[in-house]
Amino acid sequence: MGTVVLSGTAVLVVLGFGNHLYWLAAVAVLYLYARHGRGSSPTSPGPVAGSPQGTAPTPAPTSYKAYRARRDQQAKWERRYARERGGR
């Protein structure tokens, strides 16, 4: 993908000697590739609904065993919450 972006940018730069708008297009392509392309890190999401301010959401589990442990813990908390709130 990077090769396609670089070669496309080179073509736009060469065409830019006749029409300067192609240079702007080349800059825009490079900017978008740098911002959303392969090597970029994803942006962090906003606050999670239901989580108190200041706490980060837990990271995704790395294995199925970790996933099941997290799922079981969450179910345990939900049962406790339902019991404390009278089953609502």
Side-chain angles (χ1 to χ4, degrees):
M1 181 68 184
T3 307
V4 173
V5 170
L6 289 178
S7 61
T9 303
V11 168
L12 288 172
V13 166
V14 170
L15 291 174
F17 288 109
N19 184 355
H20 298 302
L21 289 177
Y22 287 119
W23 283 343
L24 292 175
V27 170
V29 166
L30 287 177
Y31 172 77
L32 290 173
Y33 182 70
R35 179 110 170 134
H36 303 289
R38 278 179 62 182
S40 66
S41 63
T43 59
S44 63
V48 176
S51 68
Q53 292 290 8
T55 60
T58 58
T62 56
S63 68
Y64 184 69
K65 187 175 182 181
Y67 160 74
R68 287 189 55 186
R70 176 73 180 141
R71 184 190 65 186
D72 293 345
Q73 181 68 37
Q74 184 71 31
K76 183 174 144 184
W77 289 338
E78 288 174 0
R79 285 191 302 269
R80 178 185 296 168
Y81 179 80
R83 201 170 43 244
E84 288 175 357
R85 299 293 178 225
R88 287 185 222 154

